[in-house]
Amino acid sequence: MSQRSGGLGRMRKMLGISGLFGLLCIVGGIALVADANLQVAAGIAIVLAGLGFLVRAMIKGVMGMMGMGGMM
């Protein structure tokens, strides 16, 4: 039997309670917009995904400058 925790348990450990709440708010907000207009909701989802990639790249770069690049 594997000692790995499941997907939700792993996500909870990585994000914490406030991170999961934030993710829930984002998904709920996109779902609310999608109920009114699907194209606008798709645009918002793409912008949020791009912002996430940008923040990840910036954090990775800063950690690399501090000598902790292998941690991500």
Side-chain angles (χ1 to χ4, degrees):
M1 193 103 190
S2 176
Q3 294 294 325
R4 287 185 347 181
S5 56
L8 186 60
R10 182 174 177 216
M11 185 182 291
R12 189 178 332 137
K13 186 182 285 187
M14 287 176 58
L15 293 177
I17 297 297
S18 61
L20 278 177
F21 181 70
L23 184 64
L24 183 67
C25 286
I26 289 171
V27 171
I30 291 175
L32 188 63
V33 171
D35 188 40
N37 191 336
L38 192 57
Q39 289 179 335
V40 173
I44 291 172
I46 290 170
V47 168
L48 285 174
L51 184 62
F53 285 127
L54 179 67
V55 168
R56 184 174 189 265
M58 289 174 60
I59 290 173
K60 191 174 183 179
V62 169
M63 288 181 75
M65 283 191 269
M66 290 190 283
M68 297 184 287
M71 295 181 75
M72 283 190 75

